[in-house]
Amino acid sequence: QVQLVESGGGLVQAGGSLRLSCAASGRTFSNYNMGWFRQAPGKEREFVAVIMWSGGKTYSTDSEKGRFTISRDNAKNTVYLEMNSLKPEDTAVYYCAAVFRGAARLLTAAVYDYWGQGTQVTVSS
């Protein structure tokens, strides 16, 4: 089992920044691909970014590639999502997720075995 706990969400004005953290416990963190997803009210959960066990990164869109940065600290068993130039459309519950390093289709939520409880991000205009 892997336990995931997100933190760092909150209310921010458009153009502002937030850094989300996800602390993992239970298994060898460095063996897991770690993803961030988000879900806005009335919408499906969508992929934001993933950082692989090897350190490789993928982002969902060019926009997020320029505004969001995913990173991990294996010594602290933590994955981060730095979000800059936030927009009202970024408002959602943000979830971190984990899947063992051998998994494929990392942009798909169903692939992930472990999920955190989510942290709310609200961006006001």
Side-chain angles (χ1 to χ4, degrees), residues 21-123:
S21 300
C22 173
S25 61
R27 293 285 176 90
T28 304
F29 177 73
S30 60
N31 282 334
Y32 284 80
N33 302 311
M34 300 299 299
W36 284 99
F37 290 76
R38 67 185 181 186
Q39 189 166 18
K43 295 188 177 181
E44 292 187 355
R45 193 167 297 189
E46 64 176 4
F47 170 78
V48 176
V50 61
I51 184 165
M52 287 166 270
W53 68 275
S54 59
K57 305 174 185 179
T58 300
Y59 298 90
S60 64
T61 66
D62 289 340
S63 174
E64 286 160 1
K65 187 177 182 180
R67 298 188 298 124
F68 294 0
T69 302
I70 190 170
S71 62
R72 66 190 297 161
D73 185 337
N74 288 340
K76 295 183 177 180
N77 291 350
T78 301
V79 61
Y80 304 97
L81 185 68
E82 183 81 30
M83 304 186 294
N84 299 310
S85 302
L86 283 162
K87 305 174 182 179
E89 51 263 43
D90 294 319
T91 295
V93 178
Y94 283 71
Y95 299 89
C96 71
V99 65
F100 194 69
R101 66 188 199 183
R105 297 186 292 116
L106 296 177
L107 280 61
T108 304
V111 167
Y112 291 80
D113 296 316
Y114 305 102
W115 291 84
Q117 82 288 350
T119 186
Q120 177 71 48
V121 171
T122 303
V123 184

